[in-house]
Amino acid sequence: MTTHEPAGDEQRLVAEIRRFAAAPFDARPAPTADIDDLDLRLFHTTYLPSFVAPESLEDNRRPVETDLAWLRLVTPAAAPTNLGVLTIGKDPSAHVPGAYVQFVRYQGLDLGAPVGDQHELRGNLVGTATRLGALLSANLRTKLTEGEGLFREETLPDYPLEALRETCMNALMHRDYERSNAPVRIAWFDDRIEVTNPGGPYGQVRADNFDRVSDYRNPGLARAMKALGYVNRFGRGIWRIRTAMARAGSPVPEFHIDETSWCVVLRKWP
């Protein structure tokens, strides 16, 4: 019996499947998405300018598919990658089911307490970061404390916003989008905030070295978050969370890690 190689479009599809089979999840094609599922206006106004200098943008005459492929948001055949869906997709969770954030504000100290507020943030990375920043700020409460100098007081939030943002951005960057449909969960209690994401330690990272060693389950997403300004420096997330909490006089953050998830607990100032 003679076997024949697939021809035309089928052959190109097989070649792409082989090429991306060993790639990280965020670099692989999203099977259910096409280019119409990407927000190209957002790409031109926000995403592309984060990677390209203004003077280069002015001279850019390349087709949008070329720029998308260069930034690995689509494959060379113009099929959206998971990275493209996550960062500029119109509805990421329609193609990557766990790509959303669940926020619940409890009026008490445990999961049995009444729910005061709850949200599901199902937008792309840019939209989620914007909405999340506003949501975190809106839920902060302030206290008066003595400031520098005579007869001066300062108003301080009950949690440092820098620590909160860093914790949430780390959860979005490092979570496992491939093997779990669970969202990133933010549970806000009267005395603490718990941020949980699916996916245990990855690569070289272990429970006993997570604050010293970095590795990336989603390297393309990590690169995008740094370019967009959501991540300050690679490998400094844990340090920034601890430093921000210490600077505010807040309790030391807690990290609970197992094979399937991470949970960061930030406790309110005394």
PDB file of all heavy atoms in Angstrom, residues 129-141:
ATOM      1  N   ALA A 129      -6.507  43.981  33.194  1.00  0.00           N
ATOM      2  CA  ALA A 129      -5.599  44.758  34.040  1.00  0.00           C
ATOM      3  C   ALA A 129      -6.204  46.106  34.406  1.00  0.00           C
ATOM      4  O   ALA A 129      -6.093  46.562  35.553  1.00  0.00           O
ATOM      5  CB  ALA A 129      -4.259  44.943  33.338  1.00  0.00           C
ATOM      6  N   THR A 130      -6.875  46.749  33.454  1.00  0.00           N
ATOM      7  CA  THR A 130      -7.501  48.049  33.717  1.00  0.00           C
ATOM      8  C   THR A 130      -8.643  47.918  34.718  1.00  0.00           C
ATOM      9  O   THR A 130      -8.728  48.668  35.694  1.00  0.00           O
ATOM     10  CB  THR A 130      -8.020  48.660  32.409  1.00  0.00           C
ATOM     11  OG1 THR A 130      -6.923  48.830  31.496  1.00  0.00           O
ATOM     12  CG2 THR A 130      -8.679  50.008  32.664  1.00  0.00           C
ATOM     13  N   ARG A 131      -9.532  46.967  34.479  1.00  0.00           N
ATOM     14  CA  ARG A 131     -10.677  46.768  35.376  1.00  0.00           C
ATOM     15  C   ARG A 131     -10.225  46.313  36.756  1.00  0.00           C
ATOM     16  O   ARG A 131     -10.768  46.732  37.785  1.00  0.00           O
ATOM     17  CB  ARG A 131     -11.637  45.734  34.793  1.00  0.00           C
ATOM     18  CG  ARG A 131     -12.436  46.208  33.599  1.00  0.00           C
ATOM     19  CD  ARG A 131     -13.471  45.177  33.207  1.00  0.00           C
ATOM     20  NE  ARG A 131     -14.437  44.944  34.286  1.00  0.00           N
ATOM     21  CZ  ARG A 131     -15.261  43.909  34.322  1.00  0.00           C
ATOM     22  NH1 ARG A 131     -15.214  42.985  33.360  1.00  0.00           N
ATOM     23  NH2 ARG A 131     -16.112  43.761  35.321  1.00  0.00           N
ATOM     24  N   LEU A 132      -9.212  45.442  36.794  1.00  0.00           N
ATOM     25  CA  LEU A 132      -8.743  44.925  38.065  1.00  0.00           C
ATOM     26  C   LEU A 132      -8.119  46.023  38.907  1.00  0.00           C
ATOM     27  O   LEU A 132      -8.344  46.099  40.124  1.00  0.00           O
ATOM     28  CB  LEU A 132      -7.736  43.795  37.818  1.00  0.00           C
ATOM     29  CG  LEU A 132      -7.276  43.005  39.035  1.00  0.00           C
ATOM     30  CD1 LEU A 132      -8.464  42.416  39.791  1.00  0.00           C
ATOM     31  CD2 LEU A 132      -6.321  41.895  38.601  1.00  0.00           C
ATOM     32  N   GLY A 133      -7.345  46.890  38.291  1.00  0.00           N
ATOM     33  CA  GLY A 133      -6.747  47.998  39.027  1.00  0.00           C
ATOM     34  C   GLY A 133      -7.800  48.883  39.675  1.00  0.00           C
ATOM     35  O   GLY A 133      -7.675  49.278  40.835  1.00  0.00           O
ATOM     36  N   ALA A 134      -8.860  49.194  38.924  1.00  0.00           N
ATOM     37  CA  ALA A 134      -9.939  50.013  39.467  1.00  0.00           C
ATOM     38  C   ALA A 134     -10.692  49.290  40.574  1.00  0.00           C
ATOM     39  O   ALA A 134     -11.060  49.890  41.597  1.00  0.00           O
ATOM     40  CB  ALA A 134     -10.902  50.407  38.349  1.00  0.00           C
ATOM     41  N   LEU A 135     -10.896  47.989  40.403  1.00  0.00           N
ATOM     42  CA  LEU A 135     -11.640  47.208  41.398  1.00  0.00           C
ATOM     43  C   LEU A 135     -10.866  47.100  42.705  1.00  0.00           C
ATOM     44  O   LEU A 135     -11.437  47.257  43.801  1.00  0.00           O
ATOM     45  CB  LEU A 135     -11.915  45.812  40.831  1.00  0.00           C
ATOM     46  CG  LEU A 135     -12.806  44.881  41.647  1.00  0.00           C
ATOM     47  CD1 LEU A 135     -14.179  45.488  41.871  1.00  0.00           C
ATOM     48  CD2 LEU A 135     -12.928  43.531  40.930  1.00  0.00           C
ATOM     49  N   LEU A 136      -9.577  46.856  42.622  1.00  0.00           N
ATOM     50  CA  LEU A 136      -8.757  46.774  43.831  1.00  0.00           C
ATOM     51  C   LEU A 136      -8.733  48.112  44.563  1.00  0.00           C
ATOM     52  O   LEU A 136      -8.897  48.164  45.787  1.00  0.00           O
ATOM     53  CB  LEU A 136      -7.331  46.343  43.471  1.00  0.00           C
ATOM     54  CG  LEU A 136      -7.161  44.948  42.872  1.00  0.00           C
ATOM     55  CD1 LEU A 136      -5.709  44.709  42.485  1.00  0.00           C
ATOM     56  CD2 LEU A 136      -7.651  43.861  43.816  1.00  0.00           C
ATOM     57  N   SER A 137      -8.545  49.190  43.816  1.00  0.00           N
ATOM     58  CA  SER A 137      -8.501  50.518  44.440  1.00  0.00           C
ATOM     59  C   SER A 137      -9.821  50.856  45.118  1.00  0.00           C
ATOM     60  O   SER A 137      -9.847  51.441  46.209  1.00  0.00           O
ATOM     61  CB  SER A 137      -8.177  51.585  43.382  1.00  0.00           C
ATOM     62  OG  SER A 137      -6.895  51.380  42.834  1.00  0.00           O
ATOM     63  N   ALA A 138     -10.935  50.477  44.495  1.00  0.00           N
ATOM     64  CA  ALA A 138     -12.247  50.805  45.045  1.00  0.00           C
ATOM     65  C   ALA A 138     -12.534  50.069  46.347  1.00  0.00           C
ATOM     66  O   ALA A 138     -13.332  50.535  47.167  1.00  0.00           O
ATOM     67  CB  ALA A 138     -13.330  50.483  44.017  1.00  0.00           C
ATOM     68  N   ASN A 139     -11.895  48.919  46.544  1.00  0.00           N
ATOM     69  CA  ASN A 139     -12.161  48.131  47.736  1.00  0.00           C
ATOM     70  C   ASN A 139     -11.188  48.402  48.881  1.00  0.00           C
ATOM     71  O   ASN A 139     -11.365  47.860  49.974  1.00  0.00           O
ATOM     72  CB  ASN A 139     -12.145  46.635  47.399  1.00  0.00           C
ATOM     73  CG  ASN A 139     -13.461  46.160  46.839  1.00  0.00           C
ATOM     74  OD1 ASN A 139     -14.372  45.786  47.563  1.00  0.00           O
ATOM     75  ND2 ASN A 139     -13.573  46.202  45.519  1.00  0.00           N
ATOM     76  N   LEU A 140     -10.182  49.221  48.642  1.00  0.00           N
ATOM     77  CA  LEU A 140      -9.246  49.563  49.713  1.00  0.00           C
ATOM     78  C   LEU A 140      -9.904  50.506  50.711  1.00  0.00           C
ATOM     79  O   LEU A 140     -10.704  51.368  50.346  1.00  0.00           O
ATOM     80  CB  LEU A 140      -7.989  50.214  49.137  1.00  0.00           C
ATOM     81  CG  LEU A 140      -7.054  49.311  48.336  1.00  0.00           C
ATOM     82  CD1 LEU A 140      -5.923  50.128  47.716  1.00  0.00           C
ATOM     83  CD2 LEU A 140      -6.480  48.197  49.212  1.00  0.00           C
ATOM     84  N   ARG A 141      -9.590  50.339  51.976  1.00  0.00           N
ATOM     85  CA  ARG A 141     -10.019  51.254  53.026  1.00  0.00           C
ATOM     86  C   ARG A 141      -8.782  51.947  53.585  1.00  0.00           C
ATOM     87  O   ARG A 141      -7.671  51.440  53.474  1.00  0.00           O
ATOM     88  CB  ARG A 141     -10.753  50.495  54.135  1.00  0.00           C
ATOM     89  CG  ARG A 141     -11.985  49.739  53.651  1.00  0.00           C
ATOM     90  CD  ARG A 141     -13.046  50.686  53.130  1.00  0.00           C
ATOM     91  NE  ARG A 141     -14.226  49.972  52.648  1.00  0.00           N
ATOM     92  CZ  ARG A 141     -14.448  49.666  51.380  1.00  0.00           C
ATOM     93  NH1 ARG A 141     -13.554  50.005  50.458  1.00  0.00           N
ATOM     94  NH2 ARG A 141     -15.537  49.032  51.012  1.00  0.00           N
TER      95      ARG A 141
END
